[in-house]
Amino acid sequence: MTQHRIHRLATRLANQIAAGEVVERPASVIKEAIENSLDAGATRVDIELESGGVQLMRVRDNGEGISAEDLTLALARHATSKIDSIDDLEAVGTLGFRGEALASIASVSRLSLTSNASDQGVEGRIAQSEGRDMTVSVSPASHPRGTTLEVRDLFYNTPARRKFLRTEKTELGHIDEVFKRQALARSDVAFSLRHNGKTLHSLKAANNQAERERRIATVCGSAFMEQSVALTREAGGLSLYGWVGLPTFSRSQADLQYFFVNGRVIRDKLVTHAIKQAYRDVLFHGRHPAYVLFLEVDPAVVDVNVHPTKHEVRFREGREVHSFIFSTLHRALGDLRPGDGAATSDTAAVNEPGGVAWPTTPQQAPMGLSMPAGGHWQPEVQAGTSDISALTRLYSSSASNRGGQSATAMAAPGPGDDESEVPPLGFALAQLHGVFILSENVEGLVLVDMHAAHERITYERLKRMRDDSGIRTQPLLVPQTITLSSREVAAAVEMSQALLALGLVLDATGDEQLVIREVPIALIGGAIDALVRDVLSDMMTFGTSDRIAAHEDELLSTMACHGSVRANRRLTVPEMNALLRDMEMTERSGQCNHGRPTWVQLGMQDLDKLFLRGR
């Protein structure tokens, strides 16, 4: 084998190697170009493409422009106007900072950069370069204030790279996604996108909240805005705002998820984990949430110099960021109620023909139930017990089976014709096949899955009881020894207090051994060693773990399922109305414990369409 001497790479070869990291496809060029435009203070960015960007990409902005003296240097590697020192690198406030994008692009294309930094006249300069020899020529050119980057024949001098490009449609799709991300990140900037002479997008700058929401609806679809909830929160130097889709607006793929840190779109496993954890209790298995979220932090506490494409970041205090994102979304999803708020109407039922007078005072409470503040019923649970059957008495104590009827019809209840007095889920009309409740509200008809709704109510109450009493633990009769890596054992020792808060008492008996001495009661008899490994993995990666809570929640969910009213149980109208009122006051009542919807709304327009009315 011949031994080669160490030597310095040629400039062209070094730039093409760098291009392999920065320029993956035409969309990579568009991303870098738009970021440069935004860093230059542009308020408008126009993009023109031919053949999916392979033949031509032209990005024009009205930013501050590049002076004639700096134009040649702009195409040199490791040349930038955005940072000067290591202190700047540790608190990057711009989207770009590496100073290698333009040089990398120029090494694999025919590039021209036209710019004018003057407010007076249209006299600018154009710098041209080809990847063949990397020489730069500069000449006068007419151009208003701002910059135009033109890239032709991408990868013309690297045939192997060009072979990896996909069809025109596929490459255009990637560019369209980059365009959408930048348009969401900067709603205050006007954007346009043209392909082969056809305008695909033309977005005006948004100057107020209504226009920002219109930008979101244009990019993500009107259905997302109609089925999402806005949130905003600030705490501990962190600010999070944006929109999260309702659990019922879940997706089969993770294709409508946009998260921005200081205006930079990122893909981060810590962020993804926090959001996924917040949706865990309400999302159907295999579905993905939709969201557009913006996190603002001090640039000094987030490292953006992690990956060449700057898609990944590293937070200095990852655990705090994870907790902040999770708690904000968890609270926002938990606060959702039918009609965008808790019911405000009186929860007392009305005596009706054929019905039962529902108890309206504490003295009339059924056995095992009590009336707390707010006027709704909850089970009386003795210390150390969990009387699940009490949870069902509210809806089943007066019910009797009525066979031979497909629907139990009742007189429509209600306090009057005043719409302001009608609660979000309305008043019960009938029960269909012992499975569904039919209710009338201001919008029209509400259909409720009786078992699914009661299951969520019971589940939330059981969780609340668990949380109020804390995690109950029990020492193992025979402590269990598990073998781990030295890194995992060290982490367990370091995070012993955090593990104790989860109900785990672990002792290190060697560099690669732990002894499990105490665990939550709910985990007795389960695969404790596997759970401990998973918890440690989460703690090491995200600084937190919800696996024990998730395991307990699974048990509570099963208990709630068995403790809820079953199908084919006939309920009276007061009992149905009591269930509706509890749904309006229960967190996450829009979905059952398995993520399925508990109710649907059919408006009058929907009903008219079914019968072809108005045509």
Side-chain angles (χ1 to χ4, degrees):
M1 179 177 177
T2 305
Q3 183 176 3
H4 296 282
R5 299 291 301 274
I6 297 174
H7 62 283
R8 189 180 299 276
L9 295 175
T11 301
R12 176 188 171 194
L13 180 57
N15 284 331
Q16 288 188 338
I17 292 174
E21 297 178 328
V22 178
V23 186
E24 179 184 357
R25 58 191 346 134
S28 308
V29 175
I30 297 298
K31 171 187 174 295
E32 297 292 340
I34 294 178
E35 288 183 349
N36 280 339
S37 296
L38 296 177
D39 283 341
T43 60
R44 180 169 189 86
V45 180
D46 298 307
I47 303 168
E48 295 181 51
L49 309 170
E50 291 181 8
S51 303
V54 177
Q55 293 301 321
L56 170 68
M57 290 176 279
R58 183 183 294 119
V59 180
R60 182 168 184 152
D61 68 57
N62 63 348
E64 63 185 27
I66 305 172
S67 66
E69 296 78 15
D70 290 343
L71 203 55
T72 302
L73 192 59
L75 298 182
R77 196 171 177 213
H78 302 315
T80 182
S81 61
K82 300 171 185 178
I83 59 173
D84 290 315
S85 65
I86 189 65
D87 293 334
D88 295 334
L89 184 60
E90 292 178 351
V92 175
T94 55
L95 297 175
F97 58 89
R98 290 176 176 270
E100 61 183 3
L102 289 179
S104 298
I105 296 169
S107 71
V108 291
S109 68
R110 295 184 173 94
L111 180 148
S112 67
L113 185 66
T114 311
S115 191
N116 182 4
S118 173
D119 287 324
Q120 307 298 324
V122 292
E123 281 300 318
R125 293 288 189 274
I126 180 172
Q128 295 176 297
S129 173
E130 289 194 11
R132 184 174 291 108
D133 52 17
M134 292 298 293
T135 58
V136 179
S137 62
V138 179
S139 58
S142 177
H143 196 281
R145 179 180 171 89
T147 302
T148 297
L149 173 67
E150 185 173 289
V151 178
R152 293 182 178 273
D153 301 328
L154 185 65
F155 298 141
Y156 80 97
N157 56 350
T158 53
R161 296 286 305 280
R162 190 153 185 159
K163 288 180 181 178
F164 281 95
L165 294 178
R166 303 304 180 187
T167 63
E168 178 178 309
K169 181 180 180 180
T170 298
E171 296 302 333
L172 178 60
H174 286 289
I175 293 175
D176 189 62
E177 183 62 24
V178 167
F179 179 89
K180 289 179 178 179
R181 291 172 182 171
Q182 299 296 345
L184 290 173
R186 292 294 302 273
S187 58
D188 60 321
V189 175
F191 289 92
S192 71
L193 176 64
R194 290 173 58 83
H195 180 249
N196 291 343
K198 179 182 178 182
T199 299
L200 304 182
H201 299 286
S202 182
L203 305 176
K204 296 180 180 179
N207 299 311
N208 54 52
Q209 183 65 13
E211 292 177 350
R212 281 190 287 272
E213 292 183 358
R214 194 175 301 119
R215 169 74 65 91
I216 301 290
T218 300
V219 174
C220 300
S222 58
F224 171 75
M225 288 304 297
E226 293 168 0
Q227 301 192 58
S228 64
V229 57
L231 60 85
T232 180
R233 182 190 175 198
E234 293 185 18
L238 302 173
S239 173
L240 183 67
Y241 63 94
W243 294 262
V244 292
L246 299 176
T248 49
F249 188 71
S250 60
R251 313 277 291 182
S252 60
Q253 302 177 47
D255 58 350
L256 215 171
Q257 299 181 347
Y258 298 99
F259 196 92
F260 303 86
V261 176
N262 294 344
R264 183 192 308 277
V265 62
I266 67 160
R267 295 190 299 265
D268 183 83
K269 60 183 180 182
L270 181 143
V271 169
T272 302
H273 182 268
I275 296 174
K276 183 178 180 181
Q277 184 176 328
Y279 273 91
R280 174 175 56 81
D281 232 9
V282 293
L283 214 57
F284 192 62
H285 178 70
R287 304 291 291 182
H288 301 270
Y291 53 83
V292 178
L293 292 169
F294 302 85
L295 178 67
E296 299 291 336
V297 300
D298 182 350
V301 302
V302 57
D303 183 5
V304 299
N305 189 26
V306 177
H307 191 275
T309 61
K310 303 182 289 290
H311 278 312
E312 301 176 8
V313 297
R314 182 183 296 114
F315 297 100
R316 181 178 298 176
E317 300 294 341
R319 181 183 298 184
E320 284 74 9
V321 173
H322 184 286
S323 176
F324 177 74
I325 295 173
F326 164 74
S327 60
T328 303
L329 268 65
H330 188 259
R331 183 72 271 152
L333 295 172
D335 285 342
L336 291 176
R337 299 291 190 278
D340 296 327
T344 56
S345 61
D346 187 0
T347 58
V350 180
N351 290 338
E352 303 171 42
V356 177
W358 196 241
T360 59
T361 66
Q363 290 74 26
Q364 297 174 329
M367 182 179 298
L369 296 176
S370 63
M371 179 183 285
H376 62 279
W377 298 96
Q378 72 174 17
E380 292 177 340
V381 180
Q382 303 298 322
T385 68
S386 181
D387 186 4
I388 301 173
S389 61
L391 291 169
T392 66
R393 294 183 188 133
L394 178 59
Y395 313 114
S396 60
S397 60
S398 301
S400 60
N401 292 327
R402 302 182 180 93
Q405 301 181 40
S406 63
T408 305
M410 303 291 178
D417 295 330
D418 188 354
E419 291 185 356
S420 65
E421 297 183 7
V422 180
L425 292 179
F427 295 100
L429 297 173
Q431 186 181 18
L432 182 64
H433 285 290
V435 177
F436 300 105
I437 294 174
L438 280 64
S439 175
E440 178 185 355
N441 68 356
V442 173
E443 301 296 326
L445 179 67
V446 176
L447 297 176
V448 177
D449 184 329
M450 181 180 73
H451 172 74
H454 191 207
E455 184 179 19
R456 169 59 73 173
I457 293 169
T458 307
Y459 177 48
E460 291 297 328
R461 287 175 176 170
L462 289 173
K463 287 198 299 179
R464 192 160 57 244
M465 295 174 196
R466 184 268 315 275
D467 295 340
D468 290 344
S469 62
I471 298 177
R472 298 174 59 194
T473 63
Q474 177 176 313
L476 293 179
L477 186 62
V478 179
Q480 188 172 340
T481 301
I482 59 174
T483 301
L484 303 165
S485 68
S486 57
R487 181 168 171 263
E488 290 172 317
V489 172
V493 173
E494 180 183 351
M495 297 182 289
S496 59
Q497 290 302 311
L499 293 169
L500 183 61
L502 297 177
L504 291 175
V505 177
L506 311 175
D507 287 337
T509 57
D511 292 340
E512 298 181 349
Q513 276 193 337
L514 280 180
V515 173
I516 306 172
R517 300 195 182 279
E518 196 167 324
V519 297
I521 290 178
L523 305 184
I524 297 294
I528 299 173
D529 57 340
L531 184 65
V532 168
R533 295 176 194 274
D534 291 341
V535 168
L536 284 175
S537 176
D538 285 347
M539 297 287 284
M540 293 166 64
T541 304
F542 309 112
T544 184
S545 176
D546 73 330
R547 289 185 184 269
I548 291 179
H551 191 88
E552 289 188 335
D553 285 351
E554 288 180 8
L555 298 177
L556 295 181
S557 176
T558 301
M559 294 165 64
C561 183
H562 291 296
S564 300
V565 289
R566 315 301 295 179
N568 299 318
R569 178 181 289 279
R570 299 296 180 182
L571 300 182
T572 64
V573 167
E575 291 166 343
M576 288 187 275
N577 280 324
L579 177 59
L580 296 177
R581 302 295 78 79
D582 264 358
M583 288 177 63
E584 291 163 349
M585 291 181 287
T586 299
E587 293 185 356
R588 305 170 185 85
S589 62
Q591 300 79 36
C592 74
N593 311 347
H594 314 291
R596 292 188 289 268
T598 59
W599 67 280
V600 295
Q601 174 80 62
L602 288 176
M604 293 304 297
Q605 290 185 346
D606 300 319
L607 296 173
D608 286 343
K609 290 179 181 178
L610 292 176
F611 294 96
L612 305 180
R613 290 171 59 89
R615 294 191 178 185

